[in-house]
């Protein structure tokens, strides 16, 4: 069966030629205009020697140049390898080398970083976008010497379309290979079944497009129905609100940190200064219930929280308009996909658990990737008995709603008891003095791990004390769960998609705790904090250095 992800744009240009596809500052491209530019750039890639099946790396920010280059590579029959924009040159080189990319395509602004990243491999770099002085050759100039491709180069449905590199939280980043069918189906199901995206919608594109969430759920889903995508190069909450109001945005996709930031920016604004959102989608990490409730009330919208991974194209489950929402859950599996709970301690096979039991979330269906590029052993560990093992712990209730409890690697084991950070974070986020919080486990000589809350205050001039936050938590969650350690910071370290980098927090504070011994108490377990323990965390709040 022949199929190409490029057909998403080609069909939109055929059926909605005059609809605006992309708004990027002053640039407005209709679907017909965007498709014409893509076919021209694809011809330029062919002129440079790119052939079907070749891998072409792409470094581009959230501008019109990203969809132009992305779909040009696909139209030429090649495989897109989006590059994380915050990588160091040696990390870029790893992605280029591991993927076997034959060309690095970059927007003009990122050309210097692209050249440095490709230097070790002597990989040719070509740019897209308006000319800005000297630099690598422009794809537009090459394309100008040849005729545009008449149509897309069709591929097999099981051929690779995109290779997404994982964040590398547990070692060297791996390339998740996604097929044409994976990505066409995920965009289609998101549009027509999961999120009810419509042609008249205007979609906010502030999630990084090199990431699976922004790429599939925002860009490709919008193009699948002929909606308009408003691009923002770098998320900034006040500017995002202004952009949404200016362009009458109706759909917002974001990660929890974006929802927190938009809420903070909206507090002093009248309702007329806020966008009228028909649909709000949250993913990437667990959205605290307090944030969801406040956002829905302030913006007069419904937030549909979903769940997925790069390896699942990405959407696997989501709260869906036609099936109702349940705060605190990530909804039901999307159309055509199965999501179940399996024993996480059995590695060689999948043993499904009864309804309501806690285990590992496993997924199978049209969204599951082809495997890790050149990593057969890693693929065999991840896909067992036809199911993809997510590495996430969760439950499934009698109504079919999935709840993600935590990443298996983020679960804290304190004194033999499992503590799920998301549960502690949800309780702390209801404190009026907290704007953001991340809960991590730190090594402890007696308990194995200690629960630590890293907190950003709602009012930096009058932050809550550590003792106040400990007391708040002890009134709301079990005695083995509340944080004995509290760190106040000005901001949390975030990845490019807005996820909190808990691995960075663990690295940062593990050394500090081992040096200070703060939070070490001789009180029996479980039990309330001893006076000395509360004093230790309060003192630590004042005396330890806290970076953003």
């Amino acid at each position: 069966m022949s199929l190409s992800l490029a057909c998403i744009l080609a069909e939109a240009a055929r059926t909605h030629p005059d609809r605006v596809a992309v708004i990027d500052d002053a640039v407005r491209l209709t679907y017909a205009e965007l498709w014409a530019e893509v076919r021209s750039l694809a011809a330029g890639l062919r002129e440079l020697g790119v052939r079907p099946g070749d891998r072409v790396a792409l470094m581009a920010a959230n501008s019109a140049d990203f969809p132009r280059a992305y779909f040009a590579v696909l139209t030429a029959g090649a495989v897109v390898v989006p590059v994380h924009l915050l990588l160091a040159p040696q990390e870029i080189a790893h992605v280029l080398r591991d993927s076997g990319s034959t060309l690095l395509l970059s927007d003009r602004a990122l050309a210097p970083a692209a050249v440095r990243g490709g230097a070790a491999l002597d990989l040719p770099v070509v740019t897209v976008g308006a000319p800005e002085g000297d630099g690598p050759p422009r794809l537009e100039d090459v394309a100008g010497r040849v005729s545009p491709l008449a149509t897309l180069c069709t591929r097999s449905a099981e051929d690779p379309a995109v290779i997404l590199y994982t964040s590398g939280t547990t070692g060297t980043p791996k390339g998740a290979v996604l097929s044409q069918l994976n990505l066409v189906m995920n965009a289609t199901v998101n549009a027509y079944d999961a999120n009810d995206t419509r042609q008249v919608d205007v979609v906010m594109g502030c999630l990084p497009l090199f990431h699976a969430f922004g790429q599939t759920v925002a860009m490709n889903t919008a193009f699948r129905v002929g909606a308009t995508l408003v691009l923002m190069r770098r998320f900034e909450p006040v500017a995002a609100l202004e952009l949404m109001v200016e362009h009458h945005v109706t759909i917002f996709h974001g990660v929890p940190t974006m929802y927190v930031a938009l809420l903070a920016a909206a507090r002093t604004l009248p309702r007329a200064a806020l966008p009228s959102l028909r649909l709000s989608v949250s993913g990437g990490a667990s959205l605290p219930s307090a944030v969801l409730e406040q956002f829905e009330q302030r913006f007069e919208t419904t937030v549909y929280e979903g769940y997925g991974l790069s390896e699942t194209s990405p959407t696997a489950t989501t709260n869906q308009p036609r099936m109702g929402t349940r705060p605190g859950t990530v909804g039901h599996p999307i159309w055509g996909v199965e999501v179940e709970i399996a024993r996480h301690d059995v590695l060689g096979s999948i043993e499904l658990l009864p309804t309501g039991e806690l285990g590992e979330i496993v997924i199978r269906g049209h969204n599951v990737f082809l495997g890790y590029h050149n990593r057969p052993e890693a693929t065999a560990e991840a896909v067992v008995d036809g199911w993809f093992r997510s590495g996430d712990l969760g439950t499934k209730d009698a109504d079919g709603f999935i709840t993600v409890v935590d990443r298996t690697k983020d679960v804290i084991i304190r004194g033999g008891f499992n503590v799920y950070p998301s549960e502690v974070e949800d309780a702390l986020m209801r404190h009026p003095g907290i704007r953001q919080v991340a809960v991590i486990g730190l090594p402890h000589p007696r308990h194995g791990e200690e629960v630590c809350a890293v907190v950003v205050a709602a009012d930096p001039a009058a932050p809550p004390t550590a003792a106040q936050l400990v007391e708040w938590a002890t009134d709301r969650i079990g005695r083995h769960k509340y944080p004995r350690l509290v760190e106040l910071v000005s901001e949390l370290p975030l990845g490019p998609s807005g996820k909190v980098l808990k691995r960075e927090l663990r690295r940062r504070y593990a050394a500090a705790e081992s040096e200070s011994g703060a939070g070490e108490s001789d009180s029996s377990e479980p039990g309330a904090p001893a006076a000395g323990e509360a004093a230790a965390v309060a003192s630590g709040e004042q005396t330890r250095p806290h970076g953003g």
Side-chain angles (χ1 to χ4, degrees):
M1 179 177 70
S2 64
L3 184 67
S4 169
L5 179 57
C7 73
I8 283 181
L9 180 60
E11 287 298 322
R14 183 175 68 86
T15 55
H16 314 293
D18 299 325
R19 280 278 298 167
V20 174
V22 173
I23 296 176
D24 171 21
D25 290 337
V27 175
R28 299 172 71 94
L29 291 173
T30 66
Y31 276 101
E33 291 167 338
L34 180 58
W35 180 231
E37 291 188 10
V38 162
R39 288 186 292 111
S40 176
L41 294 178
L45 291 171
R46 285 290 186 87
E47 184 71 5
L48 291 171
V50 173
R51 294 294 177 260
D54 287 351
R55 272 82 69 194
V56 176
L58 172 60
M59 289 183 65
N62 278 28
S63 70
D65 290 328
F66 189 99
R68 291 169 72 239
Y70 179 90
F71 283 100
V73 174
L74 293 167
T75 298
V79 180
V80 187
V81 183
V83 178
H84 188 309
L85 299 189
L86 297 184
L87 295 183
Q90 64 270 25
E91 293 173 315
I92 296 173
H94 165 74
V95 170
L96 302 178
R97 183 184 301 107
D98 188 75
S99 65
S101 293
T102 59
L103 181 73
L104 175 52
L105 198 53
S106 167
D107 65 25
R108 299 294 291 182
L110 293 169
V115 170
R116 289 193 296 272
L121 307 178
D122 198 25
L123 194 70
V125 176
V126 176
T127 64
V128 291
E132 294 180 6
D134 296 333
R138 294 177 68 234
L139 183 57
E140 288 88 346
D141 294 337
V142 177
R145 302 195 295 264
V146 294
S147 299
L149 294 188
T151 186
L152 57 87
C153 172
T154 192
R155 306 288 289 150
S156 166
E158 291 300 313
D159 281 339
V162 175
I163 301 178
L164 291 174
Y165 275 78
T166 62
S167 58
T169 57
T170 57
T172 305
K174 302 186 292 290
V177 183
L178 299 165
S179 72
Q180 311 286 341
L181 181 65
N182 286 154
L183 294 170
V184 169
M185 284 297 294
N186 214 248
T188 299
V189 172
N190 268 299
Y192 293 107
D193 296 278
N195 292 333
D196 186 28
T197 307
R198 305 166 187 171
Q199 180 194 340
V200 295
D201 278 318
V202 180
V203 178
M204 186 67 187
C206 55
L207 288 163
L209 293 179
F210 62 78
H211 189 271
F213 192 1
Q215 194 178 122
T216 294
V217 185
M219 181 179 73
N220 288 347
T221 298
F223 290 176
R224 179 66 182 86
V225 297
T228 298
L229 181 68
V230 178
L231 291 173
M232 187 177 196
R233 283 171 167 78
R234 182 180 177 84
F235 177 76
E236 197 284 318
V238 173
L241 290 174
E242 292 172 349
L243 204 60
M244 286 192 275
V245 170
E246 177 186 355
H247 295 295
H248 306 288
V249 166
T250 57
I251 296 180
F252 175 75
H253 302 97
V255 293
T257 51
M258 291 179 174
Y259 280 89
V260 170
L262 290 176
L263 265 176
R267 284 199 178 99
T268 59
L269 297 176
R271 181 65 186 91
L274 302 180
S276 297
L277 298 173
R278 185 180 67 79
L279 187 69
S280 300
V281 178
S282 177
S286 178
L287 181 65
S289 297
V291 176
L292 183 148
E293 293 162 7
Q294 293 167 25
F295 193 92
E296 289 187 336
Q297 181 179 20
R298 187 73 182 91
F299 285 82
E300 299 175 3
T301 187
T302 300
V303 178
Y304 296 91
E305 190 172 4
Y307 164 76
L309 309 96
S310 296
E311 292 90 340
T312 59
S313 305
T315 310
T317 76
T318 187
N319 282 276
Q320 303 168 40
R322 64 187 177 87
M323 303 179 79
T325 62
R326 185 166 294 177
T329 78
V330 291
H332 292 85
I334 62 171
W335 183 91
V337 169
E338 296 174 83
V339 179
E340 298 291 348
I341 308 298
R343 287 184 56 179
H344 70 277
D345 56 343
V346 177
L347 302 181
S349 62
I350 297 295
E351 294 188 19
L352 300 182
L353 293 170
T355 299
E357 289 199 21
L358 177 68
E360 183 176 6
I361 298 172
V362 295
I363 304 156
R364 69 179 178 186
H366 54 69
N367 62 338
V368 174
F369 72 150
L370 298 176
Y372 294 112
H373 183 64
N374 287 339
R375 303 283 184 93
E377 292 182 0
T379 301
E381 291 176 3
V383 182
V384 178
D385 294 342
W387 295 87
F388 172 70
R389 308 192 70 137
S390 69
D392 294 319
L393 293 176
T395 61
K396 185 175 186 178
D397 68 19
D399 295 323
F401 283 91
I402 304 289
T403 298
V404 179
V405 174
D406 251 309
R407 290 288 297 172
T408 53
K409 63 182 176 58
D410 287 338
V411 173
I412 302 165
I413 303 177
R414 183 184 191 276
F417 293 98
N418 284 5
V419 178
Y420 302 104
S422 59
E423 184 181 2
V424 184
E425 290 163 355
D426 201 57
L428 288 172
M429 277 300 294
R430 294 186 178 277
H431 190 288
I434 291 180
R435 179 183 173 187
Q436 284 179 274
V437 62
V439 171
I440 57 174
L442 297 179
H444 190 280
R446 178 180 176 188
H447 303 307
E449 285 185 292
E450 189 54 274
V451 182
C452 175
V454 186
V455 173
V456 178
D459 180 3
T465 67
Q468 288 171 336
L469 295 179
V470 170
E471 182 180 2
W472 172 275
T474 57
D475 289 341
R476 289 162 175 81
I477 53 179
R479 290 178 295 176
H480 62 297
K481 301 176 185 177
Y482 69 82
R484 270 70 170 179
L485 303 171
V486 176
E487 299 282 353
L488 289 173
V489 297
S490 58
E491 60 183 4
L492 297 173
L494 304 178
S497 61
K499 288 185 183 179
V500 176
L501 299 177
K502 289 191 175 182
R503 66 184 183 278
E504 168 63 20
L505 293 175
R506 284 190 289 266
R507 182 198 63 77
R508 183 183 302 177
Y509 293 115
E513 292 306 324
S514 64
E515 292 172 4
S516 69
E520 295 180 21
S521 170
D522 291 329
S523 59
S524 61
E525 181 61 34
E533 186 176 18
V537 291
S539 173
E541 166 195 76
Q542 300 298 325
T543 59
R544 292 192 209 106
H546 305 297

